[in-house]
Amino acid sequence: MSEVGNQKSEIKYSVLCFLFSVFCPLSSVLCLLVFSGCRKAEDTSYKPEVITTKTGIEMVAIPAGWLLMGDDNGAADERPAHKVWISAFWMDKYEVVQEQFRIYQLPDPSHFKNPKNPLERINWSDAALYCNDRSRAEGLEPCYDEQTWQCNFEANGYRLPTEAEWEYACRAGTTTKYSFGNDVRKLKAYAWFAENSSGKTHPVGQKKPNPWGLYDMHGNVAEWCNDFYSESYYKQSPDRDPKGLVEGEEKVLRGGAWNLSADSCRSSYRASDPSLNDTCLANDAIGFRCVRSAHNNAITQSNPEQNGLAPQISKTGFVYDDIYLEHKTTSGHPESPQRLVAIVEKLKANGLYPELLVLSPEPAAREWIETVHSLHYIERVKVSCENGTAYLDSLDTPISKKSYEVALVAAGGMFTAIDAVMQKKVANAFCAVRPPGHHALSDRAMGFCIFNNVAIGARYIQKKYKLQKVLIVDWDVHHGNGTQAVFYDDPTVLYFSTHQYPFYPGTGSKAEKGSGKGLNYNINVPLPAGSGDSDYIKVFREKLEPVALEFSPDFVLVSAGFDACKGDVLGGMNITPQGFAQLTQIVKSIAQKCCEGRLVSILEGGYNLDAQAASVEEHIRVLMK
Ligand SMILES: [Zn+2]
């Protein structure tokens, strides 16, 4: 770090905004936060991501892939083994336990009472009803029609797994009798069954998990599936996401139970029970767990030739969703949805798109937004959008009805990318999101920015993954005043910005170095208008690299604005796409040296559609190397 301290300078934002709107009446800053990291060697010990839902239940991300379903040496109803493709989905890490069921004021039918024991003596339709209640509690669309009990697979809520999904998750890439191999003597370590259960169920999660981290897939209680049972099912099953018969009398059960033999706990073993029996007669060895579809391949893609084995992890992630186009700005505003359209078209036209792992974002939970923004502000954004207010805080930042929702997904896009990097699903990632973020202050929108995506991302890394030190590199042509303000007295986040100066938003002088414990952890390198590739590369090599290596971050984030590119509508700099490639290489190298290449970059500004798209392409090409 450098040596001198300084007081945080107070910037007259209102005056600057006024000046900005005078000189740039259509001002806009598009923020691309680009995440990038170094590539890892192929990793066969794939561990899917685990999330905790809004109602506090852990779920495992099950990647799409091929399943060899059934067993040619198994019972008649398990033959013939056949290959099916399973789309990605989320599955409960544990069987549903009694305390979770009681949340919804449903009478607990279990025989072996204990809050942490699996729910049992549950009939199929009550399990489906629980799925619907849990969906409603999380604002999701329920899957089950409560009259006909038909399942709507298009809904985004919880449901019971299909039989194929269940077996796919249980096998976790294996083709052996059990998820741990063929040696039945090992079953005691993985399952509660007739030989070791002492005639009862046990709290979930006490035995070893399967390779994907799912517990009690063998034994404890048998689990309801969504499918109607058919003995001849394996002879006629479709080859993609089979869902069982349309009608039937009995529903499929999988996984064996505390009162059953080792043979009944095999991955491909099938059983069934009447679907709508009386609760009083229901079996105390039958429970369930929930799944949720991952639409748009949200979890991952895998190589179809891998036969259900784990996907490769060396790709670069690309966070994008059409919802980002729903944040509408005023006509002629440079921060337009077309920016993202141009990027995606460019990547598709030049063949990069199929090489990326496209990650679908979800809205950030409000608790995470609150790590950077005041509750009052968040509520104000929400209400302003709902009321159809035209601008937020200044004429810089036009909003539309959906802008609040989109801004949540922009921040959530950071989380998707960070999670994917941390779970080693990707080597690094770029987030093609809008609205941008680096001007947004705790309680105020600025310069086209609503929520400060990169700042929220840094807090997410620190709190969720317990990684202490985050480096934020901001090469947007404008100074990231919002990001600077958030971390000004914080030594755990090194903020490095190089930008045109003097320029909007007026902050970003060399003298702004941080305060208190954060002194010298805020580094501004202002550059005169007209600076180009060689000027930026010199700054990155001589100023960024030494302090970054000394700081030794645990994660690197890039506020990747491309409005410093030659020909930008707002910026006055001259970086070429090849120049951005070199800057990317320097930042990527820092991540490789310090933190196993963990790097996520997010779009900030960039208003010349062609130049921005070309620059993003070169940026991503370096991430993919
Ligand atoms: Zn900018």
Side-chain angles (χ1 to χ4, degrees), residues 28-31 438-439 448 476-479 503-504 561-564 570 604-607:
S28 65
V29 175
L30 200 169
C31 304
H438 73 156
H439 295 305
F448 327 151
D476 188 280
V477 78
H478 303 98
H479 178 240
F503 201 42
Y504 181 85
F562 293 94
D563 43 10
L570 299 182
E604 298 282 0
Y607 307 103

Side-chain angles (χ1 to χ4, degrees), residues 473-518:
V473 178
D474 186 336
W475 68 47
D476 188 280
V477 78
H478 303 98
H479 178 240
N481 60 296
T483 313
Q484 170 173 296
V486 171
F487 303 113
Y488 207 65
D489 58 359
D490 185 343
T492 67
V493 175
L494 175 60
Y495 178 65
F496 183 98
S497 175
T498 179
H499 43 268
Q500 185 172 325
Y501 189 87
F503 201 42
Y504 181 85
T507 50
S509 78
K510 272 187 194 172
E512 295 158 25
K513 296 188 174 186
S515 64
K517 288 185 178 173

